[in-house]
Amino acid sequence: MTAAVFFGCAFIAFGPAFSLFIFTIAKDPLRVIILIAGAFFWLVSLLLSSLVWFIATKATNAQDLTLQKNLLIFGSIFSVILQEVFRFAYYRLLRKANEGLAAISEEDGPALSVREMAYVAGLGFGIMSGAFSMINTLSDSLGPGTVGMFGDSQYYFITSALMTLALTLLHTFWGVVFFEGCERKRWWVIAVVLCLHLMVFSLSLLNPFYVGSILPVYAIMLLMAVWAFFSSGGSLHNITLLWTCRKSNTETSS
Amino acid sequence: MGLESSKWAIIFLVCWLYKNVSCNSVEQKIYVELNNTVPCVRLLNATHQIGCQSSISGDTGVIHVLESEADLEWPLSKGPNPPYMVLLESSLFTRSIMMKMKNESNRVAGVAVVVPNTSPPEFSPHTTCPNENTGVYSDNYGPNLAHCNTTVWNPLGNGLSYEEFDFPVFSLKEDNETEFIKQCYLDHNRAVNGSAPQYPLCAMQLFSHMHAVTNTPTCMRRNDINFSINPEMVCDPLGDYNVWGSIRPYNDTVLGHKENESVVIAAARLDSRAFFWEVSTGAEGSISGFVTLLAAAQALREVTHKAPPTRNILFAFFQGVSSFCLPKQVSLETFDYIGSSRMVYDMENGKFVIDLDNVHSILEIGQVAVHSGTNLFLHSDPVSRSNDTVNDEVENFVKNLQSSTAGLSFLLVEPNVSQPLPPSSLQRFLRAQPIPGIVLADHESAFNNRYYESFYDNAANLNLTYPSDLSPEEQLEFVTETAKSLTDVATVVARALYKQAGGDDSQVNTIKADPKIVTQMLYGFLVSSNNSWFQAVMAPELKNILKPSPPEYYVGVVMSSTPTRLVQYLLANLTGAATNLTQSQCQKPDELPNESRQMYSYLWVQGIVPPNSTQRDSFCVRASVRLTKAVSPAFELGEYASKDYSTWTESRWKFIKARIFLVASRDLEMLTLGVGVAVLFTSLLVTYFISTKADVLFSSTREPASAAY
């Protein structure tokens, strides 16, 4: 659409991920390494699942549109499953590598707790997923035209950015919850994460009915945020503590 | 080892699959590329630039389909979403509308003209007085005849070809793409009950950025700047090749004046004309002329071998070609007579096989196809005829011509009033020397041609019709009425030339042009150049320039164009002789005792396909047909601001394209940006806050009772 839309959508889609990166990850090289490795794992899962989809489409009739759409859905479901599998694989890899990381870190003892690794791994998945969803669309938003010639909604760019934002944060929260579940051997957590991921995917199929797709996805994201907060050691008590701390801080300072 | 080879197998598979990926990207949802568009490009001469220009990143405008001249108010003043891209039907492509848009060009982003399949009643983008500054008539020579004071040759001309526009002008065909554009306009851009149309609006973007500016001396100077290893050229001089042939051959290496040599020149123009770069033809404007001359040359072949005339006859075809992607497909002859001025210059400076003193008289075949009566007219120059010798010669020539029409259905008549020569190459010869000359044309005063130098000067303008049930090969052979009348003209021309060259009077009545050849040439030049006869006369390496449509009259500046090549090979076929030489001998004929490349040119042509075989019967043609460069002398001399010679150049460009898409409102864009900035700042603040308080928030391992800080 123009530079305004390009920057607007870029900020919407990558703003939170960018700020998370700057304030929590950039200072610690170990976290950066885990972030990038996490992104790579997501990328590999996407590559393998897209190979499957690609072979399926090439082996069938390209003119049959419903068949192609069904193949796309099948491919995406396969991709979701594969992403969760790779998340699990990354978890196992990080557990195994913990000793090695301890050796190269500057402090004594485990360099990163599992919780931190979970968060960083989730963010890695989220950033790479967001990049792949959004970069192509962003580059097309730079030109003078907007979507709509063939009946698509003109809010395409904004809603894509909002979906990408939600997906990035969702991947982060899922990472936290997933790793916690694996640590505590609560296998039902993995199943729930997988189901939620599939639900988000199927909601995105409702596009361009954006009210039906974006609002539920954001609702799920808020739910996941709360769950991730609690599973990473937060509690209501801490929040009240925070609040009273601030209050007393302001009292004492004023 | 097994793992490694399977790794390679996977990599190979991935690479192979990747090659076949097809895109279904967002870009396809947004833009629709327009493929069948023809741009208007920029041309420059010594003092001006004409044509159109777009900005370097294209010009975007909201589409508005103009319904009438009064509707111009919307894009020019009333419309709320400037700038506009105005879509015109060709009936509205008039001078007044274009000039109004030119004056308000900050609200007009560009113009797209829809060219219909049927011709309008008249349309000529050239000026009313073509070539008025570069002909022979000026303040020094026939001042009362100059600048069309006595006769306006092209009264229907609107002069649009010579205007400068600072927005792009493209032409569209009347096809599915144009329907799509109009539908997009109807869906999105129509104002309902006087209120402004709602966003998103349908818009078009045209790219046709031209590199050259101001005038020819400026762009030629910029061509010479050598900043880098690959210097960028900004413009090219217009030019191509003239084709000439003669009855008796000349030695190519002996140039300049020839003692006791007297030559009758028969000339015609080869140009193609149209406003936009299209399948343009110039049927009446030029094709009628050179087809007649080619047929006359063929008619003279036999008699000039049997009973050679005293003087030599030289057939000259002055090329007007558009160079590379010329939109105003105007001929060089239109652009100030580039072809003929170059030949005159060469003759004056001893660079041609003869010089002006060897020229006895000149007959030029002008526009001869559209009769409005049964007569054709013989135009001559009254100023040179004020000299008695010249006058006597001209009258003799007229007599020869008039007596050649014996037995035919029309007469040759001189115009009633004393009027100047119409725009013709003969004028350039007269500028150099008063030579007796006649221009043969079908119009007594103003042109009969209603589409002079426009896209509509095509086969329909000549009433060239074929019965509907014929196959292409049968159409090629079918002798149309137009062909018959042009054949008669060719017969007259041939006889007159023979008489003028001092031939034997008893042989004159044996000279007859062949209607079959004329109709085949008309078919090849106006309907489809990829036919069996053209294939047979062309060289094997050139057979790809023949297409199932009329020849394209555009090509790079230094190459010769399709019509030039076609006329060269046709003239060789019609006036030359087939020989027994093999292909290698044809390329090196000097090794043989009786052949000489200096006297003749040797062309290896494809020949016909015999009935029971698939191989062509190729052979070597020996003809006294030559090509000479037709680039204005101004560029040879380096006089880029010359007033005597043509200084036309054409600008270069990087790419030309057009596309349509929807544009969103400014408000939505700003809203998106605002939301983005808000999200970014909020997330920065929240993240900072949470990360500094992280140990408080995520501290389930600590004592619940924490001290208040």
Side-chain angles (χ1 to χ4, degrees), chain A residues 53-115:
Chain A
W53 169 77
F54 187 73
I55 294 175
T57 46
K58 287 300 165 192
T60 57
N61 181 15
Q63 307 303 322
D64 187 354
L65 288 175
T66 40
L67 178 65
Q68 294 301 319
K69 183 141 198 268
N70 291 337
L71 275 179
L72 187 65
I73 296 177
F74 157 71
S76 305
I77 295 179
F78 184 70
S79 171
V80 166
I81 297 173
L82 208 57
Q83 282 174 42
E84 300 306 328
V85 166
F86 269 72
R87 209 195 295 271
F88 184 70
Y90 195 40
Y91 165 74
R92 296 299 296 262
L93 179 71
L94 284 177
R95 292 290 280 147
K96 283 223 168 71
N98 228 354
E99 299 102 47
L101 288 174
I104 65 169
S105 79
E106 291 151 357
E107 308 156 15
D108 297 323
L112 292 174
S113 73
V114 176
R115 286 207 182 117

Side-chain angles (χ1 to χ4, degrees), chain B residues 476-477 515-524 531 533-534:
Chain B
L476 177 69
E477 312 269 314
K516 195 141 157 303
I517 290 185
V518 173
T519 196
Q520 283 178 326
M521 282 197 284
L522 283 177
Y523 181 80
N531 55 63
W533 188 49
F534 276 19

Side-chain angles (χ1 to χ4, degrees), chain B residues 557-630:
Chain B
V557 188
V558 290
M559 292 190 287
S560 54
S561 61
T562 311
T564 312
R565 290 308 212 163
L566 275 172
V567 168
Q568 177 196 16
Y569 278 82
L570 280 171
L571 190 62
N573 174 289
L574 296 173
T575 59
T579 62
N580 289 335
L581 276 65
T582 62
Q583 188 167 9
S584 51
Q585 286 175 329
C586 200
Q587 281 163 351
K588 290 201 172 72
D590 292 321
E591 294 165 8
L592 295 167
N594 290 337
E595 313 286 359
S596 158
R597 201 187 252 181
Q598 293 171 342
M599 301 296 285
Y600 297 99
S601 57
Y602 293 84
L603 304 167
W604 183 257
V605 302
Q606 287 195 108
I608 56 171
V609 182
N612 287 335
S613 100
T614 50
Q615 277 290 89
R616 286 191 176 270
D617 234 349
S618 303
F619 61 97
C620 188
V621 168
R622 177 185 60 216
S624 55
V625 171
R626 303 274 186 202
L627 294 177
T628 58
K629 219 158 153 216

Side-chain angles (χ1 to χ4, degrees), chain B residues 14 25 38 83 128 172 203 205 209 258 282 359-360 417 460 541 585 615 659 685:
Chain B
V14 167
S25 71
V38 174
T128 49
L172 308 168
Q205 186 176 34
H209 179 73
K258 292 205 158 46
V359 176
H360 173 262
V417 295
E541 65 267 16
Q585 286 175 329
Q615 277 290 89
R659 57 185 183 177
L685 280 170

Side-chain angles (χ1 to χ4, degrees), chain B residues 281-286 449 451-459 461:
Chain B
T281 43
E284 152 80 334
S286 56
N449 188 359
Y451 308 109
Y452 184 65
E453 292 198 14
S454 95
F455 162 67
Y456 303 110
D457 192 5
N458 51 18
N461 194 22

